[in-house]
Amino acid sequence: MSVRLKLTLSYAGFVMLAGVLLLTAVWVSLLEYVPDDWDRRMLYENPNRQLLLRTFAPAAAAVMAFLLLFGLLGGWFLAGRVLAPLSRITDATRLATNGSLSHRIRLPGRKDEFRELADAFDTMLARLEAHVAEQQRFAANASHELRTPLAISKSLIDVARADPDPDTGKLMDRLHAVNTRAIDLTEALLLLSRAEQRSFTREPVDLSLLAEEATETLLPLAEKHGVSIETSGDVAPTNGSQALLLQLTMNLLHNAIVHNLPERGTVWVMTRVRPETVVLTVENTSEELTPQLISTLTEPFRRGTERIHTDHAGVGLGLAIVKTITQAHDGTLTLTPRPTGGIRIAVELPATAPRAEDR
């Protein structure tokens, strides 16, 4: 039984019940003014209850038949009008099920429960369409990046097989570099998937300690690039995965070192505490960047305005991983250009009370 039929029967039943109650009230009122005694010879001459019953019963039956018909037809019409928006929402749901995420309901009329439901459904479809498009773009880029090292390895092996006197040492070095890059890319993709699924255990973490650990780890890389690292800040307690937040800090610091001035560059790593949040900030010196350019830096496999090349030291997922880890920890990521050149990246996470040993 459809909802429209249920509403129709409910409306008709309500109308019939109201008619019965009304006729009963009229009948009871009339009985007060009609005598109960009667004489068969005077049946059609004086008013009495038997004569009233014979007159009232057919009229009441006709009224009830009319109310039944009116209740069914009126209920069917009103139920159709009320459920019309639901039919549009159902049609949109079927289209979305078949893969059409671009369709929108855009329900007109006043803002009622159905309008709120339709608007919420349109918002969900818009977010889902954007998410699917992003996933498709990411999958296409990832497949390309994973295929490239395999193609390079195959080419190197084919060249070595065709060369009667190949340089085995050089070939092994190049194959090792290509395979290392493929492994790094695969691990980055796994880390990105783990962060997106939030499949990690939360524990107390101090961002200032992670900043110090990342600085010590990447100090040789900074010295190799002629970059100095300056750290400052206070204890910044939060809750989350220590491994993921350390990876976040390492990615930020690595990105700041690699994309820096050729000589005498500087990286600043700072932690500070706000009333309800803690902030990890990483700044570097570099060429001037536009806001339009910075808005693309967190996209996977992007570096500035161009896609990364396979010979780059990174795999193009550094800031994309930072963004995903930040969102998985209910935080916000902010990228702003520095007036004198370079970029300022701030990760803001919910704060927790510091542990006793950190005070």
Side-chain angles (χ1 to χ4, degrees):
M1 184 182 296
S2 64
V3 175
R4 186 176 184 180
L5 181 57
K6 291 180 181 179
L7 291 176
T8 299
L9 295 179
S10 300
Y11 181 79
F14 177 79
V15 171
M16 292 288 291
L17 179 61
V20 170
L21 293 177
L22 181 61
L23 292 176
T24 301
V26 172
W27 174 254
V28 173
S29 299
L30 290 176
L31 290 182
E32 296 181 357
Y33 301 98
V34 176
D36 190 21
D37 56 337
W38 66 285
D39 186 350
R40 184 175 296 275
R41 292 172 300 174
M42 303 296 293
L43 180 62
Y44 297 99
E45 298 179 6
N46 296 323
N48 53 70
R49 295 186 178 182
Q50 285 72 24
L51 178 60
L52 179 64
L53 179 61
R54 291 185 180 182
T55 305
F56 185 79
V63 170
M64 293 303 297
F66 171 78
L67 290 178
L68 177 61
L69 181 62
F70 177 79
L72 291 174
L73 294 179
W76 184 260
F77 174 75
L78 291 178
R81 291 290 301 274
V82 171
L83 296 177
L86 192 59
S87 300
R88 294 185 59 176
I89 297 175
T90 302
D91 294 339
T93 305
R94 290 195 180 100
L95 290 175
T97 303
N98 294 330
S100 176
L101 300 178
S102 60
H103 179 74
R104 299 292 182 269
I105 301 174
R106 295 187 179 91
L107 191 66
R110 296 181 178 180
K111 194 171 184 62
D112 54 9
E113 288 81 359
F114 285 116
R115 174 72 179 277
E116 292 180 357
L117 177 61
D119 292 345
F121 191 82
D122 285 343
T123 303
M124 182 196 68
L125 282 180
R127 296 184 62 181
L128 185 61
E129 183 181 17
H131 180 71
V132 170
E134 181 180 354
Q135 291 296 320
Q136 290 176 346
R137 184 171 62 253
F138 176 82
N141 291 333
S143 62
H144 174 77
E145 295 295 332
L146 286 172
R147 185 174 63 248
T148 300
L150 298 178
I152 295 175
S153 298
K154 182 177 182 300
S155 299
L156 291 174
I157 294 174
D158 290 341
V159 171
R161 291 177 61 184
D163 189 353
D165 188 18
D167 187 348
T168 307
K170 184 177 180 181
L171 174 63
M172 295 299 294
D173 291 339
R174 296 189 64 182
L175 286 175
H176 181 270
V178 171
N179 290 335
T180 300
R181 174 177 170 77
I183 293 173
D184 292 342
L185 178 58
T186 304
E187 291 178 349
L189 291 173
L190 292 175
L191 180 62
L192 196 61
S193 175
R194 178 188 172 196
E196 288 178 345
Q197 297 175 2
R198 302 194 177 193
S199 56
F200 56 85
T201 303
R202 294 179 179 269
E203 58 183 342
V205 179
D206 182 5
L207 293 183
S208 63
L209 296 180
L210 297 184
E212 293 178 3
E213 182 177 351
T215 301
E216 293 177 1
T217 303
L218 295 177
L219 186 58
L221 178 65
E223 294 175 348
K224 178 181 178 181
H225 285 76
V227 175
S228 62
I229 303 177
E230 299 180 8
T231 60
S232 62
D234 302 323
V235 174
T238 185
N239 269 337
S241 168
Q242 182 166 349
L244 289 179
L245 291 177
L246 177 59
Q247 185 66 50
L248 176 148
T249 309
M250 294 278 290
N251 285 10
L252 287 177
L253 191 54
H254 183 275
N255 185 80
I257 294 172
V258 173
H259 301 285
N260 211 306
L261 296 176
E263 296 179 358
R264 297 183 180 180
T266 306
V267 174
W268 295 273
V269 182
M270 297 163 285
T271 57
R272 64 180 185 275
V273 181
R274 292 179 177 176
E276 297 182 355
T277 60
V278 293
V279 183
L280 169 66
T281 305
V282 178
E283 300 184 31
N284 74 333
T285 54
S286 180
E287 61 182 9
E288 293 187 12
L289 303 175
T290 63
Q292 295 77 11
L293 175 62
I294 288 181
S295 64
T296 65
L297 295 181
T298 57
E299 296 182 12
F301 306 107
R302 300 281 292 190
R303 179 166 63 91
T305 56
E306 303 291 337
R307 293 186 72 253
I308 67 168
H309 300 288
T310 57
D311 57 351
H312 188 265
V315 295
L317 293 173
L319 291 183
I321 291 175
V322 169
K323 179 181 178 181
T324 303
I325 294 176
T326 302
Q327 293 175 345
H329 286 79
D330 303 317
T332 56
L333 177 67
T334 306
L335 287 73
T336 53
R338 299 179 70 245
T340 57
I343 188 173
R344 178 180 183 272
I345 303 178
V347 176
E348 188 169 0
L349 302 175
T352 60
R355 295 176 296 179
E357 59 268 25
D358 294 335
R359 295 178 181 175

